[in-house]
Amino acid sequence: MLTKRVLFGSLAILLAGLSCSRENLLTLPAPAPAIAGTYASLPGTLPLPIAGDSVTVTLTSVASDTVDVTVQAIQRGQPVFVLQYPRLPVVQQVEGSVKGTNCINYLIRLKPGTDSSVFYMTCRDINVLQYARLLESPYYTGQAARFRKL
C-alpha cells in the first residue's frame, strides 16, 4: 500500500514538473540563420589562413544548425584565393548577464573534432565575426582577426 502511494505521488510530481517546464522553456533562435551573411575584414586584422588586401567570410545557412563557410582573399580588387569549409556545425553558448540580459555566443570550428581555428561571435560585438587560432584556451581571450557584417 505504501509503495503504491509513493509511486502515485512520484508520478503526480513528475507530471506536474513536466507541465510546468513547458511554460519555462527557453527558445533559442536557429544558430545558422542567426549568423548567416557576408563579413568583411576590418583594418589591422591579424594574419589569416589566406592573404590579400582584404578578406571576406561568407556564412551560408544549409540547415538550422549548419553553415557552409567560404573565406575569400581579394588582392587589387580581384578575388585571388578561396577556402571552403562545407557543412560545419554552429554551436550556441548562452552567456548570462551581459548588460543586464542573457545573450547568445556562436562558435564554428573549422575542423570539428580537432584543435583548429574557429570563427566566433560574442554578445559584446554584435555583427562582428572573429577568427582565432586555438593556441590559447579559452579561444576568446587571445588576439583575433575581426570581420564586420556587410
Side-chain angles (χ1 to χ4, degrees):
M1 182 76 167
L2 182 61
T3 56
K4 284 185 181 179
R5 242 187 230 163
V6 171
L7 179 63
F8 284 119
S10 298
L11 184 59
I13 291 171
L14 177 64
L15 290 175
L18 288 176
S19 66
C20 289
S21 67
R22 289 183 190 201
E23 296 170 9
N24 297 326
L25 287 178
L26 175 62
T27 304
L28 298 175
I35 65 167
T38 300
Y39 299 80
S41 59
L42 294 172
T45 59
L46 298 173
L48 296 166
I50 59 177
D53 295 334
S54 65
V55 176
T56 60
V57 177
T58 303
L59 305 178
T60 306
S61 177
V62 294
S64 65
D65 62 350
T66 307
V67 292
D68 286 342
V69 178
T70 303
V71 182
Q72 183 167 21
I74 300 168
Q75 188 75 32
R76 292 185 219 112
Q78 298 296 319
V80 290
F81 195 68
V82 175
L83 294 174
Q84 294 183 326
Y85 302 91
R87 303 198 59 80
L88 296 177
V90 180
V91 177
Q92 290 176 317
Q93 301 167 331
V94 177
E95 183 175 333
S97 199
V98 171
K99 298 180 184 173
T101 62
N102 290 331
C103 64
I104 302 169
N105 296 329
Y106 298 96
L107 173 71
I108 303 166
R109 289 185 182 275
L110 296 182
K111 294 182 182 176
T114 65
D115 276 344
S116 70
S117 302
V118 296
F119 281 110
Y120 65 95
M121 184 182 297
T122 67
C123 302
R124 291 169 189 81
D125 292 317
I126 298 172
N127 289 328
V128 175
L129 189 66
Q130 298 183 61
Y131 168 84
R133 294 187 197 119
L134 291 182
L135 302 175
E136 299 180 15
S137 184
Y139 59 88
Y140 50 82
T141 61
Q143 295 181 329
R146 298 165 49 88
F147 300 82
R148 169 95 40 212
K149 191 169 191 175
L150 299 176

